[in-house]
Amino acid sequence: MKKLILVAGARPNFMKIAPLMHALKGNKQICPVLVHTGQHYDVKMSGQFFEELNIPQPDINLEVGSASHAVQTARIMEGFENVCINEKPGFVLVVGDVNSTAACTLVAAKLGITTIHYEAGLRSRDRSMPEEINRLVTDAITDVFITTSTDADENLLNEGVSSGKIHMLGNLMIDSLVANLEKAAASPMEFQLLNRLQTITPLLWKKSGRGGFGVMTFHRPSNVDDEISLKKLVKIWGSISGKIPLIFPVHPRTYKNIQNFGLQNEIDRYENLYFIESLGYLQFINLVQNAEFALTDSGGIQEETTYLNIPCLTVRPNTERPITIWEGSNKLITLEEIESEVQLILDGKGKTGKKPVYWDGHTAERIVELIENLEKVKIF
Ligand code: UD1
């Protein structure tokens, strides 16, 4: 049996780990050990995702919690080193680009354990993003590179990775989406909200067959940690909500900053700007499925909207997921362009696209098959 540690740390990791855990169930060749670093720990940010995505309870939880980047990374490394020494895995699989991804790869690589990075090769080429640093560090030392699109393959080849180590197998986040679309559509709480919104914007609802509202998420430090930028955003959200209701499940980082910068009163004044608690997976997907558009700075939502062919406006100067622009329904825009771009969508001129290759709901099966055939690259 091959012992495989799978690492999950923060919210966007959970929908990537879930399909893998399901595909590994009952596997005769691979014995999975699930390690949660505890980077995200709230029920809303973690526990609810495990429950809804039917992920088994982690075998080990490092419970590192929130801290500065250096302290959080150090805590993860310290805890994960003990795990690797005790468990003696043959393989460690990390996903995405969060601090847990880079920290655990560093530990495993130094212990001579074969490391596998799912979502390798994505590059924003913006080193002011902590995620870009995590991607570069992880890909500098990982042994096996699993990618979600061919642009990631090209990035890795340009960085000198040999083609035999790169495996383009599709998108695990889309596996989770495909598996849960029906359940998400039936998620009850949001229907009440959606029904209420349909009475506000009935014309738009009839025209598009969707819900007559926009869904928003913002949590990138560059947008929400800076007071001037967050103040500008609040004004823009308010103005858009005068044309179409906006629903914003608020990330804890953004919520804290809104309070610290004293912006809650202004937000409360906008009648159709709905700030709600950050949602579980099913409710959130329900919102996205029914939205006229997404306005976001997230990575995952660019992919989910591309699969669902819903216009996505990404308020960032760059993206590590350019395939969502070349092939999908995503557009990169500036703060200043938000209002005119939303207007284009309301006028029926939103961007549409197609699904990238292998974004088909079967990526986890392909990854499991790859791992079954993997030889250990290093000696433990
Ligand atoms: C992290 C990831 C980011 C990912 C995002 C998704 C890194 C560098 N960043 O950013 O790539 O897109 O998760 O959410 O790994 N907090 C809670 N409850 C929690 C977790 C965090 O209240 O369960 C609070 C923390 O106290 C902190 C803030 O939220 O002040 C931000 O959390 P943190 O994990 O530092 O980074 P994220 O912005 O969530």
Side-chain angles (χ1 to χ4, degrees):
M1 277 290 243
K2 285 174 173 166
K3 193 185 254 193
L4 169 73
I5 290 187
L6 298 100
V7 177
R11 187 170 62 176
N13 293 165
F14 306 140
M15 35 298 219
K16 298 167 193 168
I17 286 292
L20 283 177
M21 291 305 289
H22 299 318
L24 283 166
K25 220 179 192 169
N27 188 291
K28 300 261 177 339
Q29 299 179 47
I30 303 169
C31 164
V33 177
L34 181 58
V35 175
H36 191 330
T37 64
Q39 180 176 344
H40 282 174
Y41 43 85
D42 281 356
V43 172
K44 287 271 178 191
M45 299 291 286
S46 173
Q48 197 173 345
F49 285 79
F50 273 72
E51 206 174 292
E52 290 183 352
L53 292 166
N54 219 354
I55 310 174
Q57 279 310 301
D59 297 289
I60 297 158
N61 193 326
L62 302 178
E63 295 180 352
V64 298
S66 298
S68 70
H69 282 265
V71 171
Q72 187 178 61
T73 305
R75 281 187 195 148
I76 298 168
M77 288 182 70
E78 202 176 346
F80 194 63
E81 187 176 51
N82 284 331
V83 171
C84 287
I85 289 169
N86 292 335
E87 295 288 332
K88 298 190 175 25
F91 302 85
V92 166
L93 180 141
V94 297
V95 300
D97 55 17
V98 300
N99 288 342
S100 304
T101 313
C104 294
T105 309
L106 261 172
V107 168
K110 287 196 172 182
L111 289 171
I113 302 165
T114 301
T115 56
I116 306 165
H117 182 204
Y118 162 77
E119 217 181 79
L122 296 185
R123 298 287 180 268
S124 67
R125 297 188 174 78
D126 174 359
R127 291 194 185 190
S128 69
M129 285 176 80
E131 294 82 2
E132 182 71 356
I133 306 291
N134 291 335
R135 291 180 202 115
L136 289 166
V137 167
T138 305
D139 286 344
I141 53 179
T142 195
D143 298 303
V144 181
F145 302 78
I146 301 178
T147 62
T148 52
S149 51
T150 47
D151 55 287
D153 298 0
E154 276 167 37
N155 290 335
L156 292 169
L157 291 170
N158 288 337
E159 289 172 18
V161 177
S162 68
S163 59
K165 292 182 175 180
I166 304 170
H167 308 271
M168 205 288 269
L169 300 179
N171 195 319
L172 285 174
M173 202 167 226
I174 302 304
D175 279 19
S176 276
L177 186 64
V178 171
N180 287 288
L181 273 178
E182 265 179 45
K183 248 199 262 173
S187 106
M189 191 279 283
E190 288 320 307
F191 267 125
Q192 288 172 17
L193 184 59
L194 296 183
N195 286 337
R196 210 166 81 221
L197 291 165
Q198 282 161 38
T199 60
I200 302 173
T201 48
L203 285 178
L204 201 56
W205 166 264
K206 278 196 190 126
K207 208 159 69 181
S208 73
R210 293 202 187 112
F213 63 87
V215 64
M216 277 203 316
T217 73
F218 279 89
H219 74 279
R220 292 267 159 233
S222 55
N223 279 328
V224 304
D225 284 4
D226 176 54
E227 188 171 353
I228 296 174
S229 144
L230 190 54
K231 272 190 177 154
K232 266 195 208 164
L233 272 173
V234 169
K235 286 230 160 359
I236 295 167
W237 299 337
S239 162
I240 295 172
S241 72
K243 294 180 189 158
I244 177 167
L246 277 182
I247 309 180
F248 185 2
V250 187
H251 185 282
R253 171 190 285 281
T254 313
Y255 181 76
K256 276 184 204 162
N257 289 336
I258 284 170
Q259 305 312 312
N260 291 343
F261 302 149
L263 296 170
Q264 188 64 52
N265 281 347
E266 180 174 352
I267 285 166
D268 292 343
R269 283 211 308 273
Y270 300 116
E271 218 184 321
N272 289 330
L273 182 56
Y274 294 89
F275 268 52
I276 57 175
E277 272 200 320
S278 65
L279 293 172
Y281 183 71
L282 296 176
Q283 291 174 338
F284 185 71
I285 293 300
N286 188 358
L287 271 188
V288 176
Q289 265 178 305
N290 285 288
E292 303 292 334
F293 62 89
L295 180 60
T296 189
D297 59 9
S298 144
I301 294 163
Q302 298 174 51
E303 298 184 343
E304 287 158 344
T305 48
T306 275
Y307 183 86
L308 295 168
N309 204 11
I310 288 171
C312 180
L313 302 174
T314 301
V315 186
R316 282 177 45 186
N318 48 57
T319 177
E320 60 290 337
R321 294 166 162 86
I323 191 119
T324 60
I325 298 175
W326 300 332
E327 297 192 10
S329 54
N330 186 26
K331 234 176 173 181
L332 285 187
I333 61 165
T334 61
L335 278 185
E336 289 69 29
E337 289 167 333
I338 297 178
E339 292 196 58
S340 58
E341 287 293 335
V342 168
Q343 191 56 52
L344 274 180
I345 294 168
L346 299 186
D347 293 342
K349 294 177 190 149
K351 190 171 177 214
T352 55
K354 60 171 186 174
K355 296 182 181 80
V357 175
Y358 273 177
W359 290 27
D360 59 359
H362 296 288
T363 294
E365 296 151 37
R366 291 189 281 268
I367 292 179
V368 169
E369 197 186 332
L370 171 77
I371 298 174
E372 282 174 350
N373 294 311
L374 265 186
E375 295 302 325
K376 275 193 210 174
V377 180
K378 295 170 189 152
I379 310 293
F380 182 69

